[in-house]
C-alpha cells in the first residue's frame, strides 16, 4: 500500500521543480509552464488528501476541479498577455519586459 | 512491494523526469511536449488515487486545451524557428537554491506531520462520481464556488480575447 | 467763638484762596484778587481779634492760648500738634497780619489790574506795556496788566499760609512745615517771571542756599526730639529739670552742651533763612522777583521767620554761652558786612536787600547777647518799615517805568537810582512815606520806630558789657543811615537826571494806601516800647512792649539800665550818617561821580564768585563728569554693553557650533541626505523584472519561515 507521504513528497518535488522553472527561465511562456507544474502539484496534493482522508467529503475533489478552472483561466489570460506584449515589444524574454521600474 | 507501489514508482519517475525536462530544455516546443508527458503522468496518478473524474478532466482540459494553448502561444511568439541563447536567466543559481530550500522546508514539515504515514481506506461500493456531481450543484455544498468559477471562466474568456485582440491600427505598424 | 478755634482758623483763608484760584479762577483776574485780598483780610481780622483778646489776658505768658490735638501715634503716646499764642506770638501775629494784608492790596495795583493786555506780553516775562489809541488818534504806551496775575495771588496765598502756620504753631515740627512751605513759595515767587534766566537762577540759588540751612535745622529738630521726646515749646521750656539737664550735658561737638548743639543746629537754619553770613548770597539775587514778593519775603515774613525761630528757641539758646557767642558774632559781623556792600549798590532794591541782611544781623546779634525783648522789638519795627521801603521802591520803579514807556527807551533801567532824581515832585505820597521808612531804618530819633528798637539793642549791648558787639553795631548803624540817605537823595531829591525820571507818575491808590498805613506803624509802633528811664519821655507811657513780650519767657529779663553812652552813640551815628549821606550825593549827576563805588564793595566782597568756585563748579563736575560720564555711561553702561557683547558672542557660538553644525547639518541636512542616499541606493532593486521580485519574496519567505519554524516548532 502506498503511504500518503509518497504522494506528498512527489507533489513537493514537482512543486519545487515548477518553482525553479518560474524563477529561472527566460522565456515568459516557459514561466507559465512552470506555473502549470506547480498547479498540478497542488492538485496531486488535494487529491491525495481526499483519498487518504474522508472520501465522503467531496471538498477535496471539488477544490481540485476549481483549481483546474482557475488554471485554465489563468493560462488563457496569461498567454493572451504574452502575445499582446510580444506584438508590441517583439520579445518574450521576461528580463526585457521591465518598464515598471525606477 | 505490490503492484500499486510499482506503478506509482514508475509514474513518479516519469513525472519528475519530464518536469525536469520541461524546465531545462532550450526548445520551447519540446518544453510544451514534455509538459504534456508530465500531465499524462499526473493523470495516471489520479487514476491510482481513484479520482476518476479528475483523471478524465485532466486529460480533456489540461492536455486537450491548455497544452494546445501553450503550443499555439509558442508558435505565435517565435522570432526564429530555432531558439537561441541560454534559456536560464542570470539568477538561476539562486533560483535553484531557493527551490531546494523550499523542497527541504516542505520535507521538514512532512517529517513532523503525523498524517504522513496514513494508508488509504477502502473505497468499493461508493459512487464517488455521483457524490461529486451532487456536491458540485447542491446548494448545501459547493454550488456557489462552482458558479463563481463559471463566472471566472467567462471573465477570463472575455479578457483574453480582448487583450489579445489585434487592433487594426497597431497591427499595420 | 473760642480764641483757640479762631487761632486754628487764622492760616486757613489764604490756603483756601490758593486752591480756589489754582483750580477755578485762574482765568479771571478780578475774582482771583478778590479771593486773595479777601482771604488776607479775613486772616487779618481773625488775627486782630486774637491779638485784642490776648492783650486782655493777665499773665499771658503763664496762660497762653493753647490747644493741641493728637496727630501721630508714637508707640504708647501721641505726637501732638497745636496752636499757641503767647505774648511773643501775639506781637508777631500783629505785624504779620498787617504786612501781609497790605502787601496783598498793594499787589493789585503793582500788577496793573485794570490795564489793557500788553502788545508783546507773554506769561513768564514781565509786562512791557500796551499801545492805546485815544480819541484823537494819538498813540501812547501805557503799563500793561501782568499776564500771570492770578497765579501771583495763588502763590502769595500759599506763602501767607506758610507764615501764619509758623507763627501760630506750638511745636517745632509745624513751625518747620511752615518754614518749608515758605521756602517753596519763595522759589516759586522769586522765579515768578520764569522767562528770565536771571530769575530762574535766582530762584534755584535761593532754594539751594536756604536748603543747606534747613538740613542742619532738621538735624537739630531730630536731635531735640530724640533727647526730649517732644517738640512742643511749652513742654520743653516749662520743664525746669529738662532744661537744666539739656544745659549741662556735654556733647562731643566743640564742647557744647546738648542745648547748645541743638540751638546751634537750629541757628544754622536761621542763617540760611534770614540770609546771614555766610549763607547771605541768595537774598540780593532774590530781587529778581516782583517787588511785593521782595517785601513779603524780605521784610515781613520769611526772613523774620528765621529770627522768630531763634526767639522761640531762646530759652534753649541761653543755656549755652558758647552758642550765644557764635550767634552774636555772626549777627554783628553780618550787620557790618552787609552795610558795607549796601553803600556801593546802584539798584534801589539791592540797597534794601543788603539793608535787610544788615538789620537781621542786628536782631541776631541782639539775641546773641541776650537782649530778647530788644530783638523782638526790632523784628517788629523792622518788618513795618522795611515792608514800607520795599513797597515804596516798587512804587518808584512803577513810576519810572511809566517814564520809560513814555519815552520808549527800553535800555534805561528803571531800577537804577542814578537814572532817577527829583521824584519827590512827581510822586509825593511815595516820597513822604519812603522818607518816613528811611528815617525809621536809620534810627531818626523819637518820631520813628526804628530809633526806639535800635537804641534798645545798643543800650542792652552797652549795659551787659558786650563792647565789641556795641562798636560793630554802631558802625553798622552809621553806614545804615549813610546809605539810606544816599538812596533817598539819589532817588527823590535834586533834579531828574533822565527823561524817564521827568515823566514819572504817582501810582494808584491800591499802591499808595498800603504805604500810608505802613508809614503810620513805622512812626507809632516805637512808642509802645519806650524805656522807663528815658529822659523826658520815659515813664509817660509804660514800656508795654517789654512787659508784654518779656513775660513770654519763664524768667522775664530785666530792662537794661539807662545810660547816656548808647543813647548819644545812637543819635550820633543816625544823624551823622543821614547828614553825610545827603552831603555826598546831593549834586551827583552820573554814576562816575560816585567815589564810594569801590569795586570790592560793589562786587559784594566776591563771595558769589568764591562760592561758585568752591561749591557750585565742583558740584557740577561731580554731576556731569564723575557721575554721568564715568559712573553712569562708563561703568554702568559699560557693564550693560559688556553683557550684551557676551550675549552676542554666546549667540554667535550657538549659531555656529550648535545651530548650523548640529541642527542644520547633522540633524536636518543629515537626515535628508541619509534618506536620499538610501533611496538612491535602494532604487536599483526595482528592476521591473518580476522574476527578481519573486526571488526576493521567496528568499524572505524562506528566512521568515525558518525563523518561525525555529521558534515555534523547535523551541
Amino acid at each position: 500500500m502506498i503511504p500518503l507521504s509518497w504522494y506528498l513528497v512527489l507533489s513537493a518535488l514537482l512543486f519545487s521543480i515548477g518553482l525553479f522553472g518560474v524563477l529561472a527561465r527566460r522565456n515568459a511562456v516557459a514561466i507559465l509552464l512552470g506555473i502549470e507544474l506547480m498547479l498540478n502539484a497542488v492538485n496531486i496534493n488535494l487529491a491525495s488528501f481526499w483519498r487518504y482522508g474522508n472520501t465522503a467529503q467531496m471538498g477535496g475533489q471539488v477544490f481540485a476541479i476549481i483549481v483546474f478552472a482557475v488554471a485554465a483561466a489563468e493560462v488563457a489570460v496569461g498567454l493572451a498577455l504574452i502575445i499582446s506584449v510580444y506584438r508590441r515589444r517583439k520579445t518574450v524574454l521576461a528580463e526585457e519586459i521591465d518598464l515598471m521600474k525606477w | 512491494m505490490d503492484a500499486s507501489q510499482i506503478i506509482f514508482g514508475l509514474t513518479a519517475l516519469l513525472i519528475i523526469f519530464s518536469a525536469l525536462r520541461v524546465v531545462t530544455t532550450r526548445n520551447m516546443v519540446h518544453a510544451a511536449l514534455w509538459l504534456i508527458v508530465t500531465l499524462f503522468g499526473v493523470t495516471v496518478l489520479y487514476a491510482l488515487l481513484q479520482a476518476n473524474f479528475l483523471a478524465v478532466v485532466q486529460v480533456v482540459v489540461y492536455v486537450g486545451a491548455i497544452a494546445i494553448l501553450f503550443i499555439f502561444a509558442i508558435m505565435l511568439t517565435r522570432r526564429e524557428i530555432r531558439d537561441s541563447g541560454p534559456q536560464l536567466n542570470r539568477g538561476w543559481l539562486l533560483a535553484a537554491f531557493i527551490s531546494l530550500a523550499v523542497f527541504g522546508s516542505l520535507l521538514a514539515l512532512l517529517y513532523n506531520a503525523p498524517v504522513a504515514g496514513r494508508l488509504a481506506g477502502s473505497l468499493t461500493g461508493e459512487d464517488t462520481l455521483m457524490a461529486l456531481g451532487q456536491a458540485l450543484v447542491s446548494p448545501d455544498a459547493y454550488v456557489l464556488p462552482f458558479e463563481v468559477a463559471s463566472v471566472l471562466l467567462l471573465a477570463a474568456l472575455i479578457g483574453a480575447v480582448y487583450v489579445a485582440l489585434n487592433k487594426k491600427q497597431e497591427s499595420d505598424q | 467763638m473760642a480764641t483757640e478755634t479762631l487761632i486754628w482758623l487764622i492760616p486757613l483763608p489764604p490756603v483756601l484762596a490758593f486752591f480756589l484760584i489754582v483750580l477755578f479762577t485762574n482765568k479771571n483776574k478780578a475774582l482771583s484778587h478778590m479771593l486773595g485780598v479777601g482771604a488776607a483780610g479775613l486772616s487779618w481780622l481773625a488775627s486782630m481779634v486774637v491779638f485784642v483778646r490776648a492783650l486782655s489776658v493777665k499773665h499771658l505768658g503763664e496762660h497762653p492760648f493753647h490747644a493741641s490735638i493728637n496727630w501721630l501715634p508714637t508707640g504708647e503716646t501721641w505726637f501732638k500738634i497745636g496752636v499757641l499764642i503767647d505774648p511773643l506770638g501775639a506781637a508777631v501775629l500783629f505785624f504779620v497780619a498787617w504786612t501781609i494784608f497790605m502787601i496783598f492790596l498793594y499787589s493789585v495795583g503793582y500788577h496793573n489790574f485794570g490795564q489793557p493786555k500788553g502788545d508783546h506780553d507773554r506769561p513768564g516775562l514781565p509786562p512791557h506795556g500796551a499801545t492805546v489809541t485815544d480819541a484823537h488818534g494819538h498813540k501812547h504806551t501805557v503799563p500793561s496788566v501782568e499776564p500771570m496775575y492770578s497765579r501771583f495771588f495763588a502763590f502769595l496765598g500759599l506763602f501767607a499760609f506758610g507764615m501764619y502756620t509758623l507763627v501760630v504753631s506750638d511745636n517745632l515740627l509745624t513751625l518747620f512745615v511752615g518754614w518749608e512751605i515758605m521756602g517753596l513759595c519763595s522759589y516759586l515767587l522769586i522765579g515768578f517771571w520764569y522767562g528770565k534766566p536771571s530769575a530762574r537762577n535766582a530762584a534755584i540759588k535761593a532754594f539751594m542756599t536756604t536748603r543747606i540751612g534747613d538740613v542742619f535745622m532738621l538735624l537739630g529738630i531730630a536731635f531735640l526730639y530724640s533727647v526730649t521726646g517732644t517738640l512742643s515749646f511749652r513742654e520743653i521750656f516749662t520743664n525746669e529739670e529738662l532744661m537744666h539737664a539739656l544745659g549741662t550735658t556735654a556733647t562731643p561737638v566743640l564742647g557744647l552742651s546738648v542745648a547748645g548743639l541743638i540751638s546751634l543746629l537750629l541757628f544754622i537754619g536761621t542763617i540760611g533763612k534770614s540770609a546771614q553770613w555766610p549763607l547771605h548770597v541768595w537774598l540780593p539775587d532774590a530781587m529778581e522777583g516782583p517787588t511785593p514778593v521782595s517785601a513779603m519775603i524780605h521784610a515781613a515774613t520769611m526772613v523774620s521767620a528765621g529770627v522768630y525761630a531763634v526767639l522761640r528757641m531762646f530759652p534753649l539758646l541761653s543755656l549755652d554761652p558758647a552758642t550765644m557767642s557764635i550767634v552774636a558774632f555772626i549777627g554783628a559781623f553780618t550787620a557790618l558786612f552787609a552795610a558795607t556792600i549796601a553803600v556801593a549798590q546802584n539798584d534801589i532794591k539791592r540797597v534794601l536787600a543788603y539793608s535787610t541782611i544788615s538789620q537781621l544781623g542786628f536782631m541776631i546779634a541782639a539775641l546773641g547777647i541776650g537782649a530778647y525783648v530788644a530783638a523782638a522789638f526790632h523784628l517788629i519795627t523792622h518788618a513795618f518799615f522795611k515792608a514800607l521801603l520795599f513797597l515804596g521802591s516798587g512804587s518808584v520803579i512803577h513810576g519810572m517805568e511809566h517814564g520809560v514807556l513814555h519815552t520808549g527807551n527800553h535800555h534805561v533801567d528803571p531800577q537804577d537810582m542814578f537814572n532817577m532824581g527829583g521824584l519827590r515832585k512827581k510822586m509825593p505820597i511815595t516820597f513822604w512815606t519812603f522818607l518816613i521808612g528811611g528815617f525809621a531804618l536809620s534810627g531818626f530819633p523819637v518820631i520813628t520806630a526804628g530809633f526806639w528798637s535800635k537804641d534798645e539793642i545798643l543800650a542792652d549791648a552797652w549795659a551787659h558789657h558786650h563792647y565789641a558787639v556795641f562798636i560793630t553795631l554802631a558802625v553798622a548803624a552809621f553806614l545804615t543811615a549813610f546809605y539810606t540817605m544816599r538812596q533817598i537823595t539819589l532817588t527823590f531829591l535834586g533834579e531828574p537826571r533822565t527823561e524817564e525820571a521827568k515823566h514819572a507818575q504817582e501810582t494808584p491808590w491800591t499802591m499808595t494806601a498800603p504805604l500810608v498805613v505802613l508809614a503810620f506803624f513805622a512812626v507809632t509802633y516805637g512808642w509802645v516800647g519806650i524805656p522807663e528811664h528815658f529822659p523826658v519821655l520815659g515813664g509817660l507811657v509804660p514800656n508795654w512792649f517789654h512787659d508784654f513780650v518779656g513775660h513770654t519767657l519763664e524768667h522775664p529779663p530785666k530792662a537794661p539800665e539807662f545810660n547816656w553812652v548808647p543813647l548819644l552813640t545812637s543819635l550820633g551815628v543816625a544823624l551823622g550818617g543821614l547828614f553825610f549821606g545827603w552831603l555826598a550825593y546831593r549834586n551827583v549827576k552820573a554814576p562816575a561821580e560816585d567815589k564810594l563805588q569801590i569795586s570790592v564793595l560793589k562786587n559784594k566782597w566776591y563771595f558769589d564768585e568764591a562760592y561758585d568756585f568752591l561749591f557750585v563748579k565742583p558740584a557740577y563736575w561731580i554731576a556731569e563728569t564723575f557721575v554721568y560720564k564715568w559712573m553712569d555711561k562708563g561703568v554702568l553702561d559699560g557693564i550693560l554693553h559688556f553683557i550684551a557683547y557676551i550675549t552676542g558672542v554666546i549667540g554667535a557660538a550657538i549659531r555656529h557650533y550648535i545651530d548650523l553644525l548640529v541642527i542644520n547639518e547633522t540633524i536636518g541636512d543629515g537626515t535628508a541626505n541619509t534618506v536620499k542616499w538610501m533611496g538612491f541606493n535602494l532604487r536599483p532593486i526595482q528592476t521591473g523584472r518580476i522574476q527578481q521580485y519573486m526571488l526576493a519574496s521567496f528568499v524572505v519567505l524562506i528566512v521568515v519561515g525558518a525563523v518561525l519554524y525555529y521558534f515555534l516548532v523547535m523551541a
Side-chain angles (χ1 to χ4, degrees):
Chain A
M1 304 275 73
I2 305 167
L4 175 60
S5 61
W6 289 19
Y7 283 103
L8 297 182
V9 170
L10 173 65
S11 88
L13 191 56
L14 190 59
F15 187 84
S16 309
I17 292 169
L19 184 62
F20 176 73
V22 167
L23 293 176
R25 296 279 278 177
R26 291 174 94 204
N27 197 321
V29 182
I31 295 173
L32 277 168
L33 286 172
I35 292 174
E36 285 312 306
L37 287 176
M38 287 158 82
L39 283 166
N40 271 287
V42 167
N43 265 345
I44 294 172
N45 225 346
L46 285 167
S48 317
F49 270 107
W50 168 75
R51 180 65 180 84
Y52 283 77
N54 180 9
T55 52
Q57 177 72 278
M58 277 301 148
Q61 287 207 28
V62 171
F63 205 152
I65 291 171
I66 304 295
V67 171
F68 275 130
V70 169
E74 170 244 327
V75 163
V77 174
L79 286 175
L81 280 171
I82 289 173
I83 288 170
S84 177
V85 168
Y86 175 75
R87 283 207 194 110
R88 188 86 175 148
R89 311 278 322 283
K90 300 291 181 261
T91 180
V92 282
L93 295 180
E95 36 186 41
E96 287 175 18
I97 307 169
D98 59 353
L99 282 180
M100 299 218 9
K101 64 174 179 186
W102 62 265
Chain B
M1 274 300 214
D2 59 12
S4 58
Q5 286 179 344
I6 295 171
I7 295 173
F8 178 83
L10 288 172
T11 316
L13 276 171
L14 179 69
I15 290 173
I16 296 307
F17 179 71
S18 50
L20 281 170
R21 292 304 294 152
V22 168
V23 294
T24 53
T25 186
R26 187 178 291 225
N27 192 332
M28 286 311 300
V29 180
H30 287 186
L33 291 172
W34 280 113
L35 180 72
I36 291 171
V37 174
T38 314
L39 293 173
F40 270 118
V42 173
T43 307
V44 174
L45 224 51
Y46 284 145
L48 263 178
L49 284 170
Q50 290 168 310
N52 337 359
F53 184 68
L54 286 181
V56 175
V57 170
Q58 169 89 349
V59 174
V60 169
V61 172
Y62 258 110
V63 178
I66 290 172
I68 303 301
L69 201 54
F70 267 112
I71 290 171
F72 269 112
I74 291 166
M75 293 294 188
L76 284 171
T77 59
R78 279 170 59 153
R79 277 254 176 112
E80 301 143 10
I81 298 298
R82 232 178 296 183
D83 300 277
S84 62
Q87 87 285 31
L88 290 175
N89 65 17
R90 281 191 319 219
W92 71 269
L93 204 54
L94 184 60
F97 177 71
I98 293 291
S99 312
L100 278 172
V102 168
F103 182 57
S105 321
L106 287 168
L107 274 185
L109 278 172
L110 242 48
Y111 185 75
N112 292 322
V115 77
R118 215 186 277 172
L119 290 172
S122 78
L123 200 54
T124 50
E126 285 174 31
D127 193 353
T128 53
L129 192 61
M130 174 80 107
L132 177 63
Q134 277 188 335
L136 277 176
V137 296
S138 160
D140 298 330
Y142 300 102
V143 70
L144 199 55
F146 182 64
E147 295 301 331
V148 171
S150 318
V151 174
L152 173 68
L153 284 170
L154 178 65
L157 170 72
I158 296 170
V161 167
Y162 181 75
V163 166
L165 197 58
N166 201 357
K167 298 194 184 61
K168 294 227 174 34
Q169 311 89 292
E170 285 176 55
S171 68
D172 287 344
Q173 288 165 8
Chain C
M1 190 186 293
T3 315
E4 283 79 5
T5 320
L6 207 53
I7 303 172
W8 281 107
L9 290 176
I10 290 176
L12 194 59
V15 71
L16 271 181
F18 167 72
F19 281 115
L20 288 173
I21 294 175
V22 164
L23 291 173
F24 300 117
T25 66
N26 197 18
K27 296 254 165 55
N28 187 332
K29 294 188 172 63
L31 216 50
S32 302
H33 81 220
M34 280 202 281
L35 276 174
V37 177
L42 277 176
S43 292
W44 170 85
L45 189 62
S47 305
M48 289 302 116
V49 170
V50 168
F51 180 71
V52 165
R53 288 191 192 175
L55 287 177
S56 62
V57 172
K58 274 201 170 29
H59 302 297
L60 186 63
E62 284 147 38
H63 312 289
F65 294 122
H66 182 227
S68 62
I69 56 165
N70 291 334
W71 191 45
L72 290 177
T74 52
E76 298 283 311
T77 52
W78 283 86
F79 184 83
K80 288 167 171 286
I81 57 167
V83 294
L84 171 74
I85 293 293
D86 52 8
L88 176 67
V92 169
L93 193 63
F94 180 80
F95 88 76
V96 164
W98 272 104
T99 48
I100 287 181
F101 189 28
M102 290 300 109
I103 290 169
F104 264 86
L105 184 58
Y106 183 87
S107 305
V108 172
Y110 183 81
H111 285 305
N112 301 319
F113 178 73
Q115 296 284 67
K117 278 218 187 86
D119 301 330
H120 308 287
D121 279 352
R122 292 169 49 195
L125 288 172
H128 266 301
T131 321
V132 293
T133 319
D134 64 12
H136 303 285
H138 292 307
K139 281 206 176 74
H140 42 251
T141 329
V142 295
S144 55
V145 71
E146 164 65 53
M148 299 190 291
Y149 190 80
S150 310
R151 185 189 294 209
F152 188 79
F153 281 95
F155 288 160
L156 224 57
L158 193 62
F159 202 124
F161 169 68
M163 188 63 190
Y164 277 124
T165 306
L166 182 129
V167 172
V168 304
S169 79
D170 81 332
N171 63 82
L172 264 175
L173 189 63
T174 46
L175 185 142
F176 192 65
V177 166
W179 185 278
E180 290 296 333
I181 291 176
M182 288 199 290
L184 168 69
C185 288
S186 80
Y187 168 81
L188 292 171
L189 284 166
I190 293 171
F192 183 68
W193 285 314
Y194 54 80
K196 287 170 51 174
S198 55
R200 293 199 296 267
N201 294 336
I204 293 173
K205 188 172 179 179
F207 199 77
M208 285 286 141
T209 318
T210 51
R211 206 78 189 117
I212 297 171
D214 294 345
V215 167
F216 288 99
M217 187 168 187
L218 198 54
L219 277 175
I221 294 176
F223 190 12
L224 181 62
Y225 185 74
S226 74
V227 166
T228 59
T230 174
L231 290 174
S232 162
F233 300 130
R234 299 283 310 161
E235 277 180 38
I236 299 175
F237 299 145
T238 52
N239 189 335
E240 289 281 346
E241 294 148 14
L242 179 63
M243 293 295 280
H244 184 77
L246 288 173
T248 47
T249 322
T251 61
V253 179
L254 293 176
L256 296 169
S257 60
V258 172
L261 185 56
I262 294 174
S263 313
L264 184 62
L265 289 170
L266 294 172
F267 178 62
I268 297 179
T270 299
I271 295 180
K273 208 57 143 193
S274 296
Q276 299 299 291
W277 179 88
L279 293 175
H280 64 281
V281 291
W282 65 271
L283 200 143
D285 283 15
M287 296 298 118
E288 291 287 336
T291 310
V293 171
S294 307
M296 185 84 146
I297 296 179
H298 307 130
T301 49
M302 204 168 96
V303 296
S304 310
V307 178
Y308 175 77
V310 183
L311 279 167
R312 269 274 172 245
M313 301 310 296
F314 187 77
L316 205 62
L317 177 65
S318 56
L319 289 174
D320 192 321
T323 320
M324 296 275 274
S325 310
I326 297 175
V327 170
F329 167 72
I330 301 252
F333 179 80
T334 307
L336 185 57
F337 172 74
T340 56
I341 302 178
V343 165
Q345 299 300 312
N346 287 353
D347 186 310
I348 191 173
K349 281 171 76 172
R350 290 278 146 121
V351 176
L352 294 173
Y354 284 104
S355 163
T356 305
I357 299 175
S358 176
Q359 294 302 303
L360 290 167
F362 267 83
M363 298 172 220
I364 301 287
L367 283 167
I369 59 175
Y372 180 79
V373 175
F377 198 21
H378 199 58
L379 174 68
I380 299 174
T381 56
H382 171 264
F384 280 123
F385 61 67
K386 196 42 74 62
L388 167 61
L389 284 169
F390 266 112
L391 295 184
S393 72
S395 180
V396 166
I397 294 169
H398 246 52
M400 285 294 292
E401 273 173 359
H402 211 272
V404 166
L405 287 174
H406 184 92
T407 60
N409 183 0
H410 285 277
H411 294 289
V412 169
D413 182 5
Q415 297 188 314
D416 190 335
M417 294 190 293
F418 283 92
N419 291 335
M420 302 177 193
L423 288 180
R424 70 184 180 287
K425 298 187 202 131
K426 300 278 190 294
M427 307 173 69
I429 307 178
T430 308
F431 169 59
W432 284 107
T433 51
F434 198 94
L435 192 69
I436 292 172
F439 276 4
L441 174 57
S442 313
F444 193 85
V446 182
I447 58 167
T448 60
F451 166 73
W452 297 107
S453 54
K454 202 178 292 192
D455 181 61
E456 189 152 341
I457 296 178
L458 289 174
D460 211 306
W462 180 263
H464 293 113
H465 311 293
H466 299 286
Y467 297 122
V469 171
F470 178 80
I471 295 176
T472 317
L473 290 182
V475 174
F478 175 76
L479 288 174
T480 307
F482 180 78
Y483 66 64
T484 308
M485 201 57 200
R486 169 180 181 259
Q487 186 175 32
I488 295 175
T489 313
L490 284 172
T491 310
F492 293 104
L493 305 182
E495 295 303 319
R497 280 185 278 278
T498 55
E499 279 299 310
E500 287 73 23
K502 280 210 195 109
H503 292 281
Q505 258 190 22
E506 185 59 275
T507 44
W509 72 269
T510 44
M511 288 169 79
T512 51
L515 292 177
V516 172
V517 171
L518 287 171
F520 171 75
F521 283 112
V523 168
T524 58
Y525 200 88
W527 296 336
V528 303
I530 303 178
E532 287 216 15
H533 300 289
F534 198 77
V536 179
L537 294 167
L540 282 181
V541 277
N543 194 341
W544 168 83
F545 191 84
H546 186 95
D547 292 331
F548 186 65
V549 175
H551 277 87
T552 315
L553 296 174
E554 289 296 305
H555 308 287
K558 278 215 318 247
E561 289 287 323
F562 177 73
N563 195 311
W564 279 102
V565 173
L567 175 60
L568 288 174
T569 318
S570 144
L571 280 173
V573 297
L575 294 171
L578 286 170
F579 177 68
F580 283 112
W582 171 77
L583 197 64
Y585 286 95
R586 64 188 196 287
N587 287 324
V588 166
K589 298 283 183 289
E593 293 186 26
D594 190 355
K595 294 184 197 57
L596 277 151
Q597 293 247 311
I598 307 170
S599 71
V600 74
L601 294 183
K602 198 162 171 46
N603 286 314
K604 310 157 276 171
W605 296 89
Y606 298 107
F607 264 93
D608 277 322
E609 289 75 8
Y611 285 166
D612 188 55
F613 177 74
L614 285 173
F615 300 112
V616 178
K617 291 232 157 31
Y620 269 110
W621 179 85
I622 290 177
E624 282 176 350
T625 310
F626 183 67
V627 176
Y628 178 63
K629 254 208 262 175
W630 295 351
M631 301 296 296
D632 205 37
K633 276 176 39 170
V635 176
L636 292 177
D637 278 359
I639 293 175
L640 292 175
H641 289 322
F642 180 68
I643 292 174
Y645 169 70
I646 294 288
T647 314
V649 167
I650 292 174
I654 291 177
R655 171 97 183 127
H656 278 115
Y657 296 115
I658 298 176
D659 201 39
L660 283 178
L661 264 186
V662 174
I663 296 177
N664 279 12
E665 275 194 37
T666 311
I667 299 176
D669 290 348
T671 322
N673 284 333
T674 310
V675 171
K676 217 165 122 185
W677 175 84
M678 277 169 56
F680 186 76
N681 285 307
L682 283 174
R683 227 177 174 195
I685 291 179
Q686 296 217 315
T687 57
R689 300 180 187 154
I690 46 170
Q691 282 174 314
Q692 285 177 353
Y693 295 170
M694 278 200 71
L695 267 175
S697 63
F698 267 101
V699 167
V700 171
L701 180 66
I702 299 294
V703 168
V704 170
V707 167
L708 278 176
Y709 184 74
Y710 176 75
F711 280 114
L712 292 178
V713 176
M714 300 271 277

